[in-house]
């Protein structure tokens, strides 16, 4: 990873953390229309994977991949407007979470049906190959989501067809309140079905970046899909309405030491690369202004309710 990439990656991870902190405040003040699902502790898994892609590659992020959207050019302004349900936001107030994409930035909108994005992205990868385009499709899946039939069907299809698909497994300790040993036999890695598989420390941004770059290269060489299992930990509840009382505090303390942000900063420091000490306060000031102006943004007009829907 070169110096410029490292700085951009660090900024994306920090922006993700600070934006989510701001969303939590907005949630507690009763301003967000739904709950807030954080990626606290998983920022390297979301950002470093996306950072290793090329500009023409396509991603389909899940709820804990806000960072990947930032890497692809989504802005915190859009995120605030979306969560606050305002007319000027990406879905014009029709949705209040991350169920939106941006075709221009190569972001496919997720659905809530876990696993469903794997066959969708296998289809995207198939279209790249049919058109002879050197592009890769990537999506993420949690340990819980990897127990769905769609995960198996989609990855199996990609392996058989040797499609340029990267599936990032987020092994983060829980599926809502269920730990993996209560819902899956073996470890997530064993679910690869013949895809090229790498297991990495998901809190090590450099390892995640390198693994994704390697997987992407193989995809471009026509060697078929990759399954990158990132071992990480969900440091907050499933969402803000969940106080994660079922998680052993000792486990949280163990993972707090592995926080991906200070670890990446230390790695950069070991190369003599310094993070601007004013970066966090500059981002904070920007986010404060954006959140305040999003709160002033207009609500959608009732007569626009059916806009964007199919009609006969
Ligand atoms: C097919 C399907 N089943 C159940 C749900 C309800 N649900 C939403 S999130 C979630 C937990 C997902 O856990 P995991 O895949 O490990 O992802 P994480 O939340 O840990 O990132 C569940 C069960 C769903 N959205 N889709
Ligand atoms: Mg999980």
């Amino acid at each position: 990873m070169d110096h410029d990439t490292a700085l951009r990656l660090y900024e994306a991870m920090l922006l993700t953390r600070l934006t989510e902190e701001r969303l939590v405040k907005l949630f507690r003040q009763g301003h967000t229309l739904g709950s807030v699902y954080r990626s606290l502790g998983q920022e390297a898994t979301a950002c470093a994977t996306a950072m290793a892609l090329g500009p023409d590659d396509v991603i389909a992020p899940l709820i804990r991949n806000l960072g990947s959207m930032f890497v692809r050019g989504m802005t915190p302004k859009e995120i605030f407007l979306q969560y606050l349900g305002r007319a000027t936001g990406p879905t014009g107030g029709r949705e209040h979470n991350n169920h939106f994409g941006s075709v221009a930035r190569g972001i496919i909108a997720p659905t809530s049906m876990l696993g469903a994005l794997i066959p969708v992205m296998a289809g995207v990868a198939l279209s790249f190959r049919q058109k002879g385009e050197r592009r890769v499709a990537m999506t993420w899946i949690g340990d819980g989501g990897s127990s769905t039939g769609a995960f198996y069907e989609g990855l199996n299809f990609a392996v058989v067809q040797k499609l340029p698909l990267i599936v990032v497994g987020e092994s983060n300790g829980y599926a809502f309140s269920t730990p993996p040993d209560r819902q899956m036999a073996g470890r997530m890695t064993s679910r690869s079905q013949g895809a090229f598989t790498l297991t990495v420390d998901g809190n090590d941004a450099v390892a995640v970046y390198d693994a994704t770059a390697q997987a992407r290269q193989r995809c471009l060489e026509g060697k078929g899909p990759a399954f990158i299992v990132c071992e990480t930990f969900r440091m907050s509840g499933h969402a803000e309405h969940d106080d994660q009382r079922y998680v052993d505090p000792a486990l949280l303390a163990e993972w707090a030491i592995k926080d991906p942000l200070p670890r990446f900063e230390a790695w950069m420091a070991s190369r003599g690369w310094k993070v601007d000490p004013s970066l966090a306060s500059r981002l904070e000031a920007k986010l404060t202004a954006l959140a305040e102006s999003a709160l002033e943004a207009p609500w959608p007009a009732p007569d626009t309710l059916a806009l964007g829907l199919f009609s006969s």
Side-chain angles (χ1 to χ4, degrees):
M1 189 186 308
D2 62 30
H3 183 214
D4 178 59
T5 307
L7 287 179
R8 285 188 295 118
L9 177 52
Y10 185 84
E11 180 161 347
M13 286 165 57
L14 185 60
L15 179 65
T16 306
R17 181 159 299 183
L18 297 179
T19 302
E20 289 184 350
E21 275 173 11
R22 184 66 50 163
L23 286 173
V24 168
K25 284 187 189 143
L26 291 166
F27 169 82
R28 293 192 181 152
Q29 290 163 351
H31 291 305
T32 63
L33 298 187
S35 199
V36 175
Y37 301 73
R38 296 196 64 179
S39 61
L40 186 61
Q42 299 181 217
E43 293 90 346
T45 296
C47 297
T49 43
M51 191 64 80
L53 296 189
D56 293 331
D57 295 341
V58 169
I59 63 167
L62 288 183
I63 193 72
R64 300 198 205 286
N65 309 127
L66 172 65
S68 71
M69 296 173 93
F70 284 149
V71 170
R72 299 301 296 223
M74 196 68 77
T75 62
K77 177 180 177 182
E78 289 167 290
I79 299 300
F80 289 142
L81 291 168
Q82 173 73 7
Y83 274 77
L84 297 175
R86 303 308 163 110
T88 44
T91 62
R94 282 160 184 74
E95 208 275 333
H96 48 72
N97 204 275
N98 83 324
H99 301 106
F100 69 101
S102 165
V103 174
R105 292 139 162 173
I107 304 173
I108 304 272
T111 70
S112 274
M113 299 314 296
L114 296 174
L117 286 173
I118 314 276
V120 167
M121 294 309 278
V124 169
L126 178 62
S127 81
F128 292 159
R129 203 188 48 210
Q130 283 178 331
K131 290 190 265 180
E133 297 172 347
R134 281 176 55 79
R135 303 166 79 184
V136 167
M138 183 167 81
T139 189
W140 292 257
I141 190 76
D143 38 273
S146 73
S147 294
T148 59
F151 167 83
Y152 282 94
E153 291 172 37
L155 188 53
N156 174 66
F157 182 75
V159 171
V160 171
Q161 296 287 335
K162 287 196 178 237
L163 300 178
L165 173 71
I166 301 174
V167 176
V168 181
E170 300 174 311
S171 175
N172 70 350
Y174 281 90
F176 212 125
S177 55
T178 307
D181 61 5
R182 299 284 297 277
Q183 64 90 11
M184 58 158 67
R187 299 179 71 80
M188 217 175 164
T189 318
S190 67
R191 305 189 145 181
S192 58
Q193 302 177 79
F196 173 69
T197 301
L198 293 169
T199 302
V200 293
D201 177 344
N203 287 21
D204 178 347
V206 184
V208 173
Y209 178 87
D210 287 346
T212 314
Q214 188 187 348
R216 178 173 187 269
Q217 188 54 36
R218 284 180 55 95
C219 281
L220 293 177
E221 288 165 8
K223 292 182 175 161
F227 185 39
I228 303 172
V229 178
C230 293
E231 299 285 357
T232 180
F233 202 77
R234 197 193 70 197
M235 295 299 286
S236 49
H238 177 66
E240 282 308 298
H241 54 266
D242 168 23
D243 64 8
Q244 65 174 171
R245 70 182 66 172
Y246 47 84
V247 180
D248 182 353
L251 201 53
L252 287 168
E254 199 182 294
W255 279 93
I257 299 165
K258 303 182 207 168
D259 187 321
L261 275 146
R263 273 178 78 184
F264 188 43
E265 200 174 342
W267 178 84
M268 287 199 290
S270 75
R271 317 206 126 203
W273 299 345
K274 267 180 52 188
V275 173
D276 177 354
S278 71
L279 179 63
S281 57
R282 279 191 289 116
L283 289 178
E284 282 281 17
K286 188 175 149 192
L287 292 174
T288 301
L290 289 173
E292 275 166 13
S293 82
L295 283 166
E296 301 295 316
W299 293 101
D303 62 1
T304 63
L305 189 67
L307 280 184
L309 300 179
F310 289 108
S311 59
S312 55

